[in-house]
Amino acid sequence: MSSVLLRVSEHCVGDPYGTASTASTSCPGARRSRRHRVAVRAAPLIGGLLNRLVLAQATPYALPLEWFDGAVLFWEETGGLASHVWSYLQILRHCGILDRISGMVVGVPHAISGLEAPAASPTLPEMVLDVLGDRDIPVLGNVEFGHAGPNLPMPVGIRVGLDARQRTLSLLEPAVRPHAMTEPVG
């Protein structure tokens, strides 16, 4: 079984969201007080559009919380307000999802009012670090999947490896398997 290595884009110099180490980084809001886990060896990938994840959790179609156990959560957001992103992240925290995941991959924000200005405050990294608090999980930020960038595939359910220091996300198993046909079609 071979893995596919995706090198993700940098959000800032050094560790994208300040979670890899106490070494110097120029990312605003980066954690400098303690060391954090920098890698996840193998975990299922789960996620999608942030507002859809959060809104689905308030319905009978909610994802079971145990699906998040040890998973790498990926999310992106497009349209809306920065305050909504912060609120959605707080909902993930309050419902216990952030206590269950082993890593996070954050997409490039697209058309989020309040994040587009260079001096915007809080920034997306600051929001993510705020909601994570002291949770010891690696985070990759500004990854081009979903509605922005080249739209890297994020196959839900397959095992991935995440390395925040190397800024890589490795697909550890095939996203598509051959179908065993018993007889030809047609």
Side-chain angles (χ1 to χ4, degrees):
M1 170 173 49
S2 62
S3 66
V4 175
L5 180 68
L6 304 174
R7 179 139 329 255
V8 300
S9 59
E10 290 185 54
H11 181 74
C12 61
V13 176
D15 172 37
Y17 278 9
T19 58
S21 72
T22 56
S24 66
T25 177
S26 63
C27 189
R31 297 178 179 163
R32 292 172 174 42
S33 60
R34 61 183 272 230
R35 293 192 147 289
H36 292 272
R37 185 165 35 142
V38 297
V40 174
R41 290 189 187 267
L45 189 63
I46 190 169
L49 195 60
L50 181 61
N51 66 54
R52 299 299 188 258
L53 287 170
V54 169
L55 294 174
Q57 292 309 107
T59 73
Y61 307 104
L63 298 174
L65 288 179
E66 48 279 357
W67 285 12
F68 294 93
D69 289 345
V72 171
L73 173 66
F74 73 92
W75 63 269
E76 58 135 347
E77 189 61 35
T78 183
L81 304 172
S83 60
H84 293 168
V85 172
W86 186 86
S87 296
Y88 295 146
L89 291 172
Q90 294 299 327
I91 291 168
L92 293 179
R93 180 176 68 89
H94 287 293
C95 75
I97 289 174
L98 297 182
D99 292 326
R100 294 172 173 264
I101 62 173
S102 63
M104 183 183 287
V105 179
V106 181
V108 176
H110 179 71
I112 305 293
S113 180
L115 291 181
E116 65 278 339
S121 181
T123 64
L124 186 56
E126 289 169 336
M127 285 187 236
V128 170
L129 293 176
D130 176 60
V131 76
L132 289 177
D134 289 332
R135 288 171 186 82
D136 188 20
I137 65 169
V139 179
L140 290 178
N142 219 31
V143 180
E144 295 175 325
F145 65 86
H147 290 84
N151 201 353
L152 295 173
M154 299 297 274
V156 172
I158 70 160
R159 291 178 319 111
V160 297
L162 182 155
D163 188 324
R165 183 172 290 130
Q166 297 298 317
R167 291 183 299 275
T168 58
L169 181 68
S170 303
L171 307 180
L172 301 177
E173 58 191 30
V176 178
R177 291 179 177 81
H179 179 65
M181 295 176 50
T182 55
E183 58 185 83
V185 176

